[in-house]
Amino acid sequence: MSGDFNDVIRDSINGSRRAQRILYNTLAGKMFGLCLRYAHDETEARDILQDGFVKVFKNLEQFRFQGSFEGWVRKIMVNTALEHFRKESYQTASIEDVDFQDPGVGEKVLSGLSEKELLQMIRDLSPQYRVVFNLYAIEGYSHKEISQMLNISEGTSKSNLSRARNILKEKIKRLNKTG
Amino acid sequence: MIGQEMERNEKHIDEVFRERLSDLNVTPPANAWDVIEKRVHRRKTIPLYIPRLVAASLLLFVLTGSLWLIFLRKPSDKGLAGQPVFSTQPGEKVTSHRQPARIIPQNSTAGTITQVVKPLPPQKQKEEKISVCKPGFILPVEKNRKNQEEAVAVTPSSMPENFSLAFLLPKNEVVLFGEKDVTHMLEGKLPVPEKQPDILPLSPVLKNQPVKKGTWGIGGDFGPVYAYRHLAESSPILSAYLNKSENGIISFAGNFSFFYKGTKRLSVQSGLGYYRLGQEVNDVIAFRMIKSGQLAILESKGNEFIHVSEGKLGYSGTPVFVANRKSPGGIDQVEFLLTRLGTGIYEPVDVQLKQDLEFVEIPLLLRYSIIDRTLGLSVIGGMGTSFLVKGQTSLISDKGTTFIGDMYELQKTNVNGTFGLGFSYKLSPSMQFRIEPTLKYYLNPVYKSPDISTHPYSIGIFSGMSFYF
């Protein structure tokens, strides 16, 4: 992290709206991309983004200038997304998610998909699958950590991930057939 | 072979999504920043019930004031002080059914008014007083039964003989002037006493003037309170543990009051009060993820690993998992909980909980004035109904304060008893400064648990003002 950017953070801590705007502009795009992965639609993603940035600015003085600022903000965004997930009480598995046969996905098929299509696939997952897939496959948390974060068992976390993957593969396979 | 293929396939799909979406950059909606900026910079919001309380207090004040104006205020109070109410021509005969008041001239080198008769209705003659005064100052005379019959109600038909002019003073007292006085005044001179006084004038009563019976007043006070709770009828082990792990806090409270002074010494008080009580809970641990530093959270509503005496911990805020370091039975819970959470993944962190209980109260108190002078002393006692408006718990760690959630299983409506001492200083006959050490104790348990009986209490030193109409 550059010294200049640290100065922007310090100014933001001191309440400078201009500095806060710079911080927001620097990270808003990536964070909104993150929020879109956790949210069901853009409205929810915007709410998560706004709640998350409010937390960022209100807790900015707790940032210790050690490690990545973006990583720190990302963590807050993930936590905020999880709070939204809990508020919505997505605690039961969706009926649509019956056992799928592993369809197998070819490299060509995946590489041919756009970010928008991949994002839409994740957003179409039921909330509990979406959140586990995001935390495990994209953020890199372990099943143990996820089980604590979501207050579910490790087995449930693994099962949700497996089902999420199968649903995604099935969708990709369908796209392949129709394409 | 098939299993390896599947595993490769799964990792492959994870990698594709991670690579393509982990840093996905999407422009957020244009107005998102405006909303964030407003929320970050807006002033602290006032809880919804505060404006309601203020409105209710104002309404109460207006209603009380209106009632007083309409029904209780006597016509003689309405700004006639200092105005002549009637006069007679010198020498003119005035018929009176009663004897004129005994003349009590005042010995004053400054040359002051001759005499005053305090008119009272016949039914109140037993409490009659005769006062000597000079304009604007009223001097009390000790109650003298001999004077009872000498008091007169001064009306146009009962103007005492030898008096030509009467002035109405505040508090229904009348200054009477004789012919000589009036002549002197007309000549621009001060009245001259006719006789030496047979009762020595007491000190001016501007400060000592007794407050009239039937007086209404309003007041407000505010002050720091020490808040804690008393445990009754609980298991000795649980009580001992909670008394060891919990501490009282310094908080604050305030009251808006109105008074009705029924007699010289006794008054009734009611109004609205706000009390912020609570406690601190020590011997508490949370669990922090070693890798990420994130505190472990718990989703379920109840938490069997934490015991506090003021309600059951709910998780309407950030559901940080907290536990007593030792169970009420004295068993260390750290290793046990770490095993459940995952040894090597989490580490215990010492934290503290703070419980805040906020009440709005309608009191009904009696005040008995022991000393009613410039410096006064009263005894205060009574009861009140308290309504719980907020009961919540926050976690205090080295990273700051985190709101965990509301408490539940708390009584919403409670009854309390109050006892206090009131020290007052009269700034004027109608205005007092008050300092009042007060104890308030909740008579019913606030926590619905069958295992424990928790009675919050507060000891406060309130200071404030009162105004009597």
Side-chain angles (χ1 to χ4, degrees):
Chain A
M1 196 181 298
S2 72
D4 287 349
F5 198 72
N6 282 347
D7 288 342
V8 173
I9 297 170
R10 285 192 188 93
D11 287 347
S12 298
I13 292 170
N14 292 331
S16 161
R17 293 188 187 213
R18 188 178 152 274
Q20 288 172 351
R21 181 70 190 254
I22 293 170
L23 277 190
Y24 172 79
N25 286 342
T26 308
L27 296 170
K30 276 188 184 176
M31 295 308 133
F32 192 55
L34 180 150
C35 296
L36 284 168
R37 281 193 282 112
Y38 283 87
H40 181 257
D41 55 27
E42 284 204 16
T43 308
E44 193 188 357
R46 189 198 59 202
D47 290 346
I48 297 170
L49 182 84
Q50 288 169 344
D51 290 351
F53 266 108
V54 169
K55 279 185 192 167
V56 166
F57 288 124
K58 287 194 171 175
N59 296 287
L60 208 48
E61 57 206 23
Q62 290 179 27
F63 179 64
R64 301 191 189 286
F65 295 90
Q66 294 161 357
S68 155
F69 180 69
E70 184 184 324
W72 186 76
V73 174
R74 181 179 281 268
K75 204 174 280 179
I76 289 175
M77 286 294 163
V78 170
N79 285 339
T80 310
L82 294 182
E83 280 171 20
H84 273 252
F85 168 75
R86 288 188 205 104
K87 274 184 197 167
E88 298 302 324
S89 304
Y90 295 129
Q91 295 300 308
T92 54
S94 168
I95 299 166
E96 64 164 306
D97 304 321
V98 290
D99 286 334
F100 283 90
Q101 297 294 317
D102 185 348
V105 178
E107 190 146 345
K108 271 188 179 177
V109 178
L110 276 172
S111 59
L113 290 170
S114 69
E115 277 85 1
K116 194 178 175 184
E117 286 170 317
L118 290 172
L119 184 63
Q120 192 56 50
M121 282 183 199
I122 290 184
R123 285 162 63 179
D124 286 343
L125 290 172
S126 64
Q128 66 273 26
Y129 294 172
R130 183 167 66 237
V131 74
V132 170
F133 184 80
N134 267 312
L135 289 171
Y136 185 92
I138 302 179
E139 314 297 347
Y141 286 99
S142 69
H143 284 298
K144 199 127 202 164
E145 290 167 330
I146 294 168
S147 67
Q148 287 307 315
M149 290 162 89
L150 302 179
N151 195 31
I152 55 177
S153 70
E154 273 187 67
T156 306
S157 175
K158 285 177 184 170
S159 160
N160 284 355
L161 177 69
S162 173
R163 291 182 179 201
R165 280 175 176 152
N166 281 341
I167 292 165
L168 291 172
K169 287 175 195 170
E170 183 67 21
K171 286 179 187 291
I172 293 165
K173 198 178 166 187
R174 280 181 204 156
L175 272 175
N176 193 27
K177 279 180 184 172
T178 55
Chain B
M1 284 295 285
I2 295 169
Q4 284 177 346
E5 178 67 23
M6 278 177 67
E7 197 178 326
R8 244 196 331 270
N9 209 349
E10 283 169 355
K11 281 187 177 171
H12 175 60
I13 199 167
D14 289 359
E15 279 169 15
V16 170
F17 274 92
R18 182 160 52 243
E19 283 170 10
R20 303 275 294 278
L21 295 183
S22 66
D23 285 328
L24 181 66
N25 202 325
V26 182
T27 307
N31 65 344
W33 168 249
D34 296 335
V35 176
I36 292 164
E37 191 180 27
K38 270 184 195 166
R39 285 174 59 188
V40 169
H41 291 280
R42 79 180 165 198
R43 288 179 183 177
K44 271 189 174 178
T45 52
I46 300 168
L48 195 62
Y49 59 88
I50 297 282
R52 288 180 184 171
L53 267 183
V54 172
S57 305
L58 283 174
L59 185 68
L60 199 64
F61 174 69
V62 169
L63 281 175
T64 309
S66 306
L67 284 173
W68 175 73
L69 283 171
I70 295 167
F71 298 109
L72 298 170
R73 196 174 180 192
K74 293 172 185 173
S76 57
D77 287 333
K78 292 178 183 173
L80 294 174
Q83 295 178 16
V85 287
F86 59 87
S87 65
T88 59
Q89 294 298 318
E92 183 181 339
K93 176 126 178 124
V94 177
T95 308
S96 173
H97 299 297
R98 311 182 67 151
Q99 292 296 314
R102 186 164 64 107
I103 296 171
I104 308 166
Q106 183 183 357
N107 180 21
S108 169
T109 53
T112 54
I113 305 303
T114 52
Q115 56 204 317
V116 164
V117 177
K118 183 175 180 181
L120 285 176
Q123 65 269 25
K124 292 191 176 178
Q125 281 184 9
K126 283 184 181 174
E127 293 169 17
E128 175 62 295
K129 288 177 187 173
I130 292 182
S131 302
V132 178
C133 82
K134 45 189 174 180
F137 292 84
I138 301 167
L139 306 178
V141 175
E142 289 299 321
K143 186 174 176 181
N144 186 345
R145 289 188 174 277
K146 287 179 187 171
N147 293 334
Q148 285 176 20
E149 295 305 312
E150 296 166 348
V152 290
V154 183
T155 63
S157 61
S158 64
M159 183 70 169
E161 221 170 327
N162 301 325
F163 294 104
S164 306
L165 181 65
F167 275 81
L168 188 67
L169 293 178
K171 311 290 179 189
N172 276 352
E173 282 154 326
V174 174
V175 189
L176 297 175
F177 297 92
E179 286 175 30
K180 205 170 177 180
D181 296 327
V182 174
T183 311
H184 273 81
M185 280 190 282
L186 289 171
E187 292 170 355
K189 297 174 185 173
L190 288 168
V192 177
E194 293 177 0
K195 289 201 308 186
Q196 290 299 309
D198 55 0
I199 296 175
L200 287 174
L202 303 179
S203 57
V205 289
L206 193 59
K207 291 178 179 174
N208 280 345
Q209 182 184 350
V211 176
K212 192 180 56 170
K213 283 186 272 182
T215 302
W216 285 85
I218 58 165
D221 54 45
F222 181 85
V225 294
Y226 170 75
Y228 196 35
R229 85 288 179 277
H230 166 241
L231 301 180
E233 300 171 13
S234 306
S235 86
I237 293 174
L238 186 58
S239 291
Y241 176 76
L242 293 173
N243 284 333
K244 199 177 167 188
S245 65
E246 296 176 346
N247 290 313
I249 57 169
I250 300 295
S251 188
F252 63 92
N255 299 285
F256 167 77
S257 309
F258 61 90
F259 313 84
Y260 179 75
K261 200 170 176 71
T263 69
K264 184 185 171 188
R265 294 194 180 274
L266 196 64
S267 58
V268 184
Q269 176 184 339
S270 188
L272 275 175
Y274 170 81
Y275 282 76
R276 186 166 187 160
L277 309 182
Q279 62 178 2
E280 282 173 354
V281 186
N282 300 306
D283 191 44
V284 180
I285 43 170
F287 294 90
R288 183 166 55 199
M289 209 178 273
I290 296 168
K291 187 178 165 188
S292 65
Q294 188 184 347
L295 290 172
I297 55 175
L298 190 71
E299 189 63 24
S300 59
K301 198 179 177 189
N303 182 348
E304 66 199 273
F305 300 107
I306 185 81
H307 292 269
V308 290
S309 62
E310 290 189 337
K312 202 162 189 174
L313 182 54
Y315 288 115
S316 50
T318 306
V320 176
F321 174 50
V322 287
N324 297 121
R325 185 173 269 282
K326 286 187 176 178
S327 71
I331 300 163
D332 195 315
Q333 297 199 113
V334 180
E335 286 307 315
F336 167 69
L337 292 170
L338 267 181
T339 310
R340 282 187 61 157
L341 289 166
T343 311
I345 296 172
Y346 285 95
E347 58 183 1
V349 193
D350 281 307
V351 294
Q352 193 179 43
L353 296 184
K354 184 165 180 286
Q355 293 189 277
D356 291 310
L357 303 180
E358 292 180 36
F359 296 94
V360 171
E361 181 189 316
I362 300 175
L364 185 61
L365 304 176
L366 288 176
R367 292 171 164 266
Y368 184 78
S369 174
I370 299 171
I371 302 170
D372 186 22
R373 291 184 184 165
T374 304
L375 284 170
L377 173 64
S378 307
V379 181
I380 306 160
M383 297 178 77
T385 307
S386 289
F387 303 97
L388 181 77
V389 291
K390 192 186 279 184
Q392 57 180 216
T393 298
S394 301
L395 177 144
I396 301 168
S397 67
D398 55 355
K399 292 193 173 179
T401 302
T402 308
F403 167 55
I404 300 180
D406 293 321
M407 306 300 296
Y408 62 108
E409 296 193 5
L410 286 171
Q411 290 286 0
K412 298 283 183 195
T413 306
N414 303 277
V415 178
N416 62 54
T418 297
F419 177 78
L421 289 176
F423 298 96
S424 62
Y425 179 77
K426 286 182 186 172
L427 299 168
S428 77
S430 58
M431 188 162 67
Q432 285 184 345
F433 173 70
R434 295 183 283 122
I435 293 182
E436 298 179 345
T438 306
L439 166 71
K440 190 176 293 294
Y441 183 84
Y442 281 66
L443 301 174
N444 62 286
V446 294
Y447 184 14
K448 294 176 188 169
S449 165
D451 303 319
I452 198 159
S453 180
T454 306
H455 300 262
Y457 64 80
S458 67
I459 301 168
I461 300 176
F462 295 87
S463 55
M465 303 288 289
S466 351
F467 303 90
Y468 287 91
F469 303 114

